């Protein structure tokens, strides 16, 4: 399809394991965003990429979280030594350019990865 | 037509003024979110609400489900409030729709 694709759609893993979440943005979209929504919590911004670079990593909750984007396309979000508080839906979005700051570029969202840490 | 409409698109205020940003939406939602984006791109979630009113410091968010409308108020505005404020809605399928943002500048 032509939308943002995330995989896996669901992931259940044991505490302490590493997980890798994948996001395949819409072709040609230079900006890519990662968010998460924990149960009952608001939408939490994690990181965004403009091309392959991430100007602001301050939203990552801890140093167990890392993200990369290569080739200006697919991005992976890696969580090392998972903890139960990492359980959430992880959402990826992409846009033609960095959205909002004076522009009208909407973000297109994937269906998310539902991560459950046992 | 956008599922989420915000107004105004740009707003300039004097320090100390009371500020209101409006958001209307046209889809069924499970929650409405107000986000703040500072220069440099970092985004902070201010509120998530599905009914009534929430207050945090000088910020107040209200929602009227019947009218499909929400407002974000800033009391006693300060230059550090200068940012882009974004309204977003989500449904039970975790689909998000974003407004295009309101760029706020507070002048000392």
């Amino acid at each position: 399809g032509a939308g943002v694709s995330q995989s896996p759609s669901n992931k259940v893993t044991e505490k302490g394991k590493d997980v890798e979440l994948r996001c395949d943005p819409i072709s040609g979209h230079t900006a890519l965003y990662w968010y998460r929504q924990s149960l009952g919590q608001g939408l939490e911004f994690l990181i965004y990429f403009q091309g392959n670079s991430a100007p602001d990593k301050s939203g990552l909750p801890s140093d167990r979280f890392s993200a990369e984007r290569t080739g200006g396309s697919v991005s992976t979000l890696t969580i090392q030594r998972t903890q139960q508080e990492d359980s959430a839906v992880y959402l990826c979005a992409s846009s033609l350019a960095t959205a909002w700051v004076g522009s009208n570029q909407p973000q297109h969202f994937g269906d998310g990865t539902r991560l459950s840490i046992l | 037509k956008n599922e989420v409409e915000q107004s105004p698109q740009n707003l300039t205020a004097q320090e100390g003024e009371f500020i209101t940003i409006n958001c209307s939406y046209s889809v069924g939602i499970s929650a409405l979110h107000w986000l703040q984006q500072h220069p440099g791109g970092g985004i902070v979630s201010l509120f998530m609400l599905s009914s009534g009113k929430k207050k945090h410091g000088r910020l107040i968010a209200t929602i009227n489900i019947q009218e499909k409308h929400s407002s974000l108020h800033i009391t006693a505005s300060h230059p550090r409030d200068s940012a882009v404020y974004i309204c977003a809605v989500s449904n039970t399928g975790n689909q998000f729709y974003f407004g295009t943002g309101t760029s706020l500048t507070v002048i000392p």
Side-chain angles (χ1 to χ4, degrees):
Chain A
V4 176
S5 177
Q6 288 188 247
S7 61
S9 55
N10 287 282
K11 176 74 177 178
V12 180
T13 193
E14 292 179 346
K15 176 182 169 181
K17 300 285 189 183
D18 297 351
V19 295
E20 187 174 278
L21 312 180
R22 177 188 169 105
C23 174
D24 203 337
I26 293 173
S27 178
H29 280 194
T30 58
L32 185 148
Y33 305 77
W34 283 100
Y35 301 86
R36 74 175 178 181
Q37 186 167 26
S38 305
L39 187 65
Q41 302 296 313
L43 186 62
E44 180 184 6
F45 166 74
L46 299 179
I47 189 171
Y48 83 96
F49 290 88
Q50 186 64 265
N52 289 337
S53 66
D56 184 355
K57 300 181 180 179
S58 62
L60 294 175
S62 75
D63 59 8
R64 297 186 293 105
F65 286 72
S66 62
E68 64 176 23
R69 189 181 187 195
T70 55
S73 182
V74 172
S75 175
T76 54
L77 177 70
T78 302
I79 310 172
Q80 296 178 307
R81 305 180 303 281
T82 52
Q83 302 293 313
Q84 287 186 328
E85 63 262 26
D86 300 333
S87 297
V89 176
Y90 289 81
L91 293 159
C92 175
S94 70
S95 68
L96 276 172
T98 305
W100 302 326
V101 189
S103 76
N104 287 306
Q105 299 296 338
Q107 295 193 13
H108 301 262
F109 280 81
D111 291 336
T113 294
R114 188 173 300 276
L115 177 64
S116 300
I117 309 299
L118 303 178
Chain B
K1 182 185 183 302
N2 292 329
E3 290 83 359
V4 179
E5 299 277 358
Q6 276 185 246
S7 63
Q9 190 171 12
N10 294 282
L11 180 57
T12 300
Q14 290 291 135
E15 182 173 357
E17 285 186 7
F18 180 83
I19 289 164
T20 295
I21 301 171
N22 294 300
C23 175
S24 297
Y25 55 92
S26 59
V27 295
I29 70 168
S30 59
L32 183 141
H33 310 257
W34 281 102
L35 311 171
Q36 180 191 55
Q37 184 178 29
H38 279 282
I43 299 168
V44 174
S45 177
L46 299 174
F47 296 102
M48 180 182 78
L49 64 165
S50 54
S51 65
K53 173 180 169 179
K54 287 191 176 180
K55 183 176 188 293
H56 181 69
R58 294 181 294 106
L59 302 178
I60 302 166
T62 64
I63 187 169
N64 184 318
I65 298 296
Q66 287 73 31
E67 294 184 3
K68 295 191 173 182
H69 180 270
S70 175
S71 293
L72 176 68
H73 305 286
I74 305 175
T75 62
S77 59
H78 190 276
R80 64 176 173 267
D81 297 327
S82 298
V84 175
Y85 292 84
I86 303 114
C87 174
V89 299
S90 59
N91 61 22
T92 54
N94 261 332
Q95 285 180 298
F96 281 81
Y97 303 92
F98 282 66
T100 53
T102 295
S103 180
L104 171 66
T105 302
V106 181
I107 299 170

